[in-house]
Structures are given as C-alpha cells and as structure tokens.
Amino acid sequence: MHGPSRLGNGNGNARSPPSSPRLRHGRGKTPGAGGGGGFYRSEKQGLGERLVFLLFSIVFRRKGVLLLAPLLYIAGMLLFMGSFGFTVLDLGHRVEIVYRRGPPGSVYRSPKVFKRLWPNMEADANGSSHNALMKTWNPRVKSTWKPCISTNVSAAGTNSNGFFIIEANGGLNQQRLSICDAVAVAGLLNATLVIPIFHLNSVWRDSSKFGDIFDEDFFIYALSKNVNVVKELPKDILERYNYNISSIVNLRLKAWSSPAYYLQKVLPQLLRLGAVRVAPFSNRLAHAVPAHIQGLRCLANFEALRFAEPIRLLADKMVNRMVTKSVQSGGKYVSVHLRFELDMVAFSCCEYDFGEAEKLEMDLARERGWKGKFRRRGRVIRPGANRIDGKCPLTPLEVGMMLRGMGFNNSTLVYVAAGNIYKVDKYMAPLRQMFPLLQTKDTLATPEELAPFKGHSSRLAALDYTVCLYSEVFVSTQGGNFPHFLIGHRRYLYKGHAETIKPDKRKLVQLFDRPSIRWDYFKKQMQDILRHNDAKGVELRKPAASLYTFPMPDCMCKESDSEPETDPA
C-alpha cells in the first residue's frame, strides 16, 4: 500500500532530501511547488517531525525496543501495502493532499488498456483468418489415458452395519463433493447410504432436492454392486426415532478425517445405534485414502452421478445448438465460467468503479450473505492487496482481452456460464463487443424452456456445467468447485487432457495496469499463458490434491503408446 503521510511547513522553495526508490515510484507533481515537480518542504523541522523525534527518543532512552518493534512492523506493512492513498503537504499558505498511485496491479485500470488496444484487436481480426480455436491443444503426447474404475472398486457387503445419513450444503458442486465422499465413507464402513438431504443455503437459496438435480434411480443402480443406497430409511428405524430424522444422533466430525478416524470413531456408533447422521457433511474425508475407497469416489463422480432427465434433455439441446452455431470453426466453441455475480464481487472485497454507491452496495451484500463476518474486530479489507494477489474476479472485459490476445478472434463462438452478472449491461458490453457471437443460457434456450429451472440456481448451474463440459476449450476465471469438478471431468472424458485455460491473475493484473502497453507485447504475454496452460493440461494427482480435479491415476489408466488423433484441418 502507500507510504505514510509526510508533514512539513515553511516555504516551498527548498528541495527535500532524495526519497527512497520505492517511495519515489509513481509520485505525482505538486502544483505550484516550484520547478522540477518534486516534493518540497522547509529545512526546519515541522511540529509533526519534532513529535515523532521526541517519541523515538523516549522509547530508545527507556530501552523499549520491544515496544517499538510492533510499531515498526505495522508501519512497514502499511508502507508496503499502501494503506495511505495520499501525501499531505504543508506549503505554508495552504495544505494540499496529493493522491498517489498505488502499487502496480492494485487498481482496476483495464478499461483504459482496452480503449488503447481495441483498434489493434480489430485490425488483427480484419487482417487475418487465423483463430487459436482451430489449433488449440493439438495432441503432442504419445501416451494418453482412459477411464478404468471397475478394477479398483470393492464389492458391497452383504450385511450392512447400519444407515449413513448426510446433509449436503452449498451449491451444485459443493453438494456433488459431499455426495461422492459420502459414497466412499459408506463403502468404508459397509453402511447403507440414504439418498443425501440437501440443505437450503442462505447464498444459493435453492430448495431443490436430490432427485430434482440428479437421476436418483440411476445413482442407486450404478452403485448397486459396490455400495447399498436407499431412497429413505426403513419404517422400523423411523419408528425408533419417532419419524424425525433430526432425532438421529448428529456426529460432529473434524474436517479431512482419515479412514482410520471413521473406523475408530464412527463405526462403533453406527453399530450401536443402527443409524448415524452427519450434518453438514462437507470436506469430511481426507484426500489420501486406500485405492478401493478412491475407486468409490471415481465411480460416484464420473459414472453414477448424472443429471435428472429434464436437465439432461435441455442441456443436450443447448450443446447441439452451440455446435450448430459454430459451424465455421468445425463445431468447436469456447466456454467461460465467469464469476462476476454480486455475491462473488462482494465476497472478494475488490473494487471496480471506486464510488461510494458501489462500496455501500458491497457492504450490504456482504452483510446479507455472511452476517457480520466482514465486520469482525481486526478484519481489514484491502482491495488493492487482494487484486495484486490475484484474488479479484476477472471482469468480462478482462476475460475478453485475454482471449483476443491469445488469438481467439471475433468469429469465435463463446458460451458464458454464469449467474446474474453484476451490473450486467455495463460489464458485459465490452465482452460482446469483442465476441459478437457470444451465447448464454438465456440466449441459447427459450424462455419457455428455462421456465421450470428459474429460481433454482443448482439446476441452472447444471445446464452451464454440461455446455462447458463439451466445449473445445474451457476458461476458468476465479476457482471454486465448479471449475475444479469440470476440469477433472474433462480430463476423464478427453484422454487425460483438461483443455482448460486457468490464467495467472497475478500476472494479468500487472499487464492490465499498463495503459500504454503495446498490442504485440500484450499478445506475446497472453500466448505465453496459453502455452503454459497447454503444458499443464495433463497432470497426475499429487498426494494432497483432489481426484475430482486430477483423476489420473486413481480413476484412469495409461494407454500404451497410442498415437494421437490428428486434426484433419
């Protein structure tokens, strides 16, 4: 952030001592302060400087170095992170506040960059028929991967140890995570899994049940040889608990629990009570588990969980329409998961238009969704630091500039998967300008087709998920469960390669903070990001990583030196 305030008085003709390079960077000129445009102060100490000197003298005289250390640390952090966006100058006849530029990448200046680069983008599009979509990720490796789950999965036990009940919370893919982990735990405990209950989340606000989103009968059938699954508890168990599931003991499990923990702590309770409940059940099973338990996760996620028929039918129509509309590019299209909804922007604590209206709107959204979480004592919101650290959602404009820089021209068919975009008219306009063939579920499906899904965010997300799943290229802009599951699913379907763009946002914000950047340099940087993503497309799961994102080698087997398919184009 910015450095601390400088106080001084006296005439404006005496030049200050040279400042450090870090503080010198980005300083503006002081109007009316004399030639050279530097900062000016009196050679005599101002009152503020004398007080600071006196304070330091007292502290050191009393050998209070330990007392001073925290103050120095805080001052250093404020200097580095830029808490102060201004410098106070005492010019004798007036006091002036000079606002200073924040550290590179800390401020949203992308519209200025776009204004400069737009003519070059248009010239590139008019002067070349090249489209990165036509040659993105041509296979370069001899070895590919194929699904091979069945050899890893254990058989279901004949005598169940009891009923395992879980409550899945969050959005579509958070629920998916809970379901798949619950299947694995049920297999581990030789328990009968009851179709999961969905918790009504305060953010997602979707009252859908399991059968509204997923094909319940197919789920039970696909797991039948490995895990027993029932739609509801049998009558004798319900009678034991007065037909009230909430009366069944709710086990409080620690996050990322190991298989040993379940066998030592949960299994005895299950055997004693006949049924146990875990609510909520989220991130309650460790990533590292035995191979046969991983196999159950693979089976549940990639084979057993398919969307309910109404979702599948409309999603298939939408995919076919995308393929038909992208006939110029051989039926290939790009999908973008755009996280720029009001709640996402609010949660990120980032700033875009820097107005008081935006600040108030974000404060209200944070309070509505997270009830005081952002007002806790000691919580400091630092939008500039968040942006530099790559934590701010990319705007539609930034996504468009990135893709055009990578070589996707204005004839590329782009599908945007998103909720309700924040200030949609304002922020989507430049993306539509760069990609006039852009589609969303609202343009691809008719209002009548979408009517049964309105008001159900998880069902709408399932439509987006399917269209993204079958795209040639998928662009992830913010992280979260949606891209994590989708990337893994695409690896599973496409011989191990994710065909995904996950941009380095720390690098992007630096480039978007340079209004004078040249188009050829910008393109080179974007194409470097594209090549890096290509190289990272095929990755094996590391011990601490999730197989839902990295299905190799737990859910897939390596094919023996199979030759890659060649693109006829």
Side-chain angles (χ1 to χ4, degrees), residues 18 118 123 192 202 308 414 464:
W118 173 243
T192 297
S202 61
V414 175
D464 280 339

Side-chain angles (χ1 to χ4, degrees), residues 163 192 194 230-240 243:
F163 292 90
T192 297
V194 180
V230 295
K231 293 184 179 181
E232 56 186 24
L233 288 168
K235 187 177 179 179
D236 60 320
I237 298 292
L238 286 172
E239 285 180 347
R240 189 186 308 173
Y243 293 91

Side-chain angles (χ1 to χ4, degrees), residues 25 33 69 80 82 121 136-137 170 189 208 291 324 330 396 401 471 509 557:
H25 175 70
F80 177 74
M121 292 183 197
T136 305
W137 290 300
L189 301 177
S208 298
T324 302
M401 284 197 293
S471 63
V509 297
C557 304

Side-chain angles (χ1 to χ4, degrees), residues 118 121-122 124-126 128 130-131 328 404 407-414 432-438:
W118 173 243
M121 292 183 197
E122 283 297 90
D124 252 15
N126 295 331
S128 173
H130 165 76
N131 189 344
Q328 288 185 345
R404 289 295 291 266
F408 297 94
N409 64 25
N410 59 3
S411 68
T412 305
L413 190 67
V414 175
R432 293 185 186 278
Q433 184 179 342
M434 286 180 272
F435 293 98
L437 301 181
L438 183 143

